[in-house]
Amino acid sequence: MRENRVADLTVEEFKTLVYDLVDERLQHWKKPENPVPKRSLQEILNSIDRHRWTPPPGAKSTLEMLREDRDS
């Protein structure tokens, strides 16, 4: 079988080759292997509330830490 070089292709043959490669890649891109389950907005907000971190009492605020860093 004769191997074609890109330099030997006509413009139309090259375009066809590129379109075929892009189509092939898009087919794989469209199909997720592990689809993410759909969650309602309320489920997402509840998850955010459960995973939120609250600093301990007496901890410095971010503003205080920035000022301390700036002044040091």
Side-chain angles (χ1 to χ4, degrees), residues 9-23:
L9 297 176
T10 66
V11 172
E12 291 304 315
E13 290 172 331
F14 180 72
K15 284 182 182 180
T16 302
L17 174 65
V18 171
Y19 292 150
D20 289 345
L21 289 172
V22 169
D23 287 343

Side-chain angles (χ1 to χ4, degrees), residues 30-38:
K30 288 180 185 177
K31 300 175 187 172
E33 292 179 14
N34 296 320
V36 178
K38 298 286 184 188

